[in-house]
Amino acid sequence: MKLLENKVSVITGGVRGIGLAISVAFAREGARLLLTTTRHPERSAEAIERLRAYGTEVQLVEVDVADQAAVNNVLLPAADAMGGADILVNNAGITRDGLMLRMSEDAWDDVLRVDLKAAYNTIHALLPKMMRKQGAIINIASIVGIEGNAGQCNYAAAKAGLIGLSRSLAKEMGPKGVRTNCIAPGYILTEMTDFMSETMAADYISKIGLRRAGKPEEVANVALFLASDMASYVNGAVIECTGAM
Ligand code: NDP
């Protein structure tokens, strides 16, 4: 028996970066996937083909998860058509970095919408059916939401908010059998961190205990653990995946 056999897993931003690595790990363990993207679905054809090769159902919907109407009108019916979500991974995230004195309202609002409000949207929509299925919610936060980071006040605030949401929901929904946990990754090699110069990357790496950046698959392994029954008594946790940053 695979770890997530037939579990309907909604993964926001599940076709690239850390989200794709989570989709692969879940597909390998038998999960049925409902993934979101904001890009034209054709751009994800290769990723979808790769996931379907595991022999499981994979559905992709084009949804801006920060848009509550889109979540209710597109994501929710798609999840219902699959029998309702067992697992929800709020992975979608963006950065709009800048020092506070120069940070525009748009940069603040955009990050708060995608990195925090979107989690409200998806949880609010999917939770009623998840309650009946003893589901698991995994929110991808960041070490920056715990430690803070100059130039990322908006992102740090959103990710700290996501941690607060998760810990509260864990207490609220624990009695109904829904577990909610967070992962706080450090420096992971994806398009999000691609912009870094070699000097900047080397500076980050010099501050990491393991002296290297993390791989998306290493975050995905933590997500797989949290989604599975192996984590049946883990609720309200924030697992750092930083190599000791
Ligand atoms: P990428 O920039 O590679 O991917 C971002 C993902 O978010 C994409 O899958 C994208 O989907 C999705 N996304 C962005 N905006 C929206 C939206 N409005 N609606 C739906 N989906 C959206 O970043 P990572 O893979 O690195 O990041 C994944 C998560 O991990 C994020 O929450 C990020 O904050 C977090 N994280 C990453 C770290 C890192 O070092 N990389 C460190 C700590 C946390 P698409 O383009 O298909 O629409």
Side-chain angles (χ1 to χ4, degrees):
M1 178 88 166
K2 292 178 174 174
L3 281 178
L4 303 182
E5 193 81 55
N6 288 324
K7 298 277 184 193
V8 175
S9 302
V10 176
I11 304 169
T12 68
V15 284
R16 65 186 182 91
I18 292 171
L20 176 58
I22 294 172
S23 298
V24 170
F26 282 25
R28 196 186 294 127
E29 289 300 330
R32 295 164 61 212
L33 303 180
L34 173 56
L35 314 177
T36 75
T37 183
T38 56
R39 306 193 294 182
H40 193 284
E42 258 175 33
R43 293 184 63 184
S44 309
E46 208 181 299
I48 298 297
E49 200 179 316
R50 182 178 164 203
L51 292 166
R52 286 195 177 133
Y54 287 98
T56 192
E57 180 182 357
V58 183
Q59 304 289 348
L60 177 67
V61 286
E62 202 181 334
V63 176
D64 171 359
V65 285
D67 176 350
Q68 191 179 21
V71 168
N72 288 338
N73 297 331
V74 181
L75 184 64
L76 178 59
D80 285 346
M82 294 175 76
D86 295 276
I87 297 160
L88 166 63
V89 183
N90 282 307
N91 162 77
I94 57 167
T95 50
R96 295 274 185 278
D97 296 351
L99 297 173
M100 192 56 167
L101 287 175
R102 281 189 239 132
M103 184 173 289
S104 67
E105 191 178 354
D106 278 352
W108 177 270
D109 286 345
D110 286 352
V111 169
L112 267 288
R113 279 178 72 247
V114 178
D115 292 54
L116 181 57
K117 170 75 183 340
Y120 161 81
N121 291 340
T122 56
I123 292 168
H124 197 261
L126 300 173
L127 196 52
K129 292 237 167 77
M130 290 185 83
M131 276 162 56
R132 281 178 231 150
K133 302 176 92 184
Q134 310 268 293
I137 298 172
I138 297 151
N139 293 322
I140 309 297
S142 167
I143 191 65
V144 167
I146 299 169
E147 304 279 339
N149 194 24
Q152 291 196 306
C153 286
N154 50 359
Y155 185 71
K159 294 299 191 181
L162 196 56
I163 291 171
L165 181 161
S166 304
R167 288 199 158 127
S168 302
L169 193 68
K171 292 183 175 171
E172 206 172 299
M173 295 310 298
K176 308 276 183 206
V178 178
R179 295 181 297 106
T180 308
N181 293 289
C182 264
I183 304 176
Y187 171 28
I188 311 297
L189 294 174
T190 66
E191 280 176 47
M192 185 175 272
T193 48
D194 242 7
F195 72 94
M196 281 196 206
S197 66
E198 268 185 38
T199 323
M200 200 174 167
D203 182 50
Y204 263 88
I205 287 168
S206 71
K207 291 176 185 138
I208 296 172
L210 291 177
R211 294 292 189 275
R212 65 173 178 85
K215 292 179 269 188
E217 294 74 20
E218 293 175 307
V219 180
N221 286 336
V222 182
L224 177 61
F225 164 69
L226 288 174
S228 76
D229 285 344
M230 288 200 300
S232 53
Y233 201 58
V234 183
N235 188 30
V238 181
I239 299 187
E240 293 183 13
C241 185
T242 67
M245 202 169 187

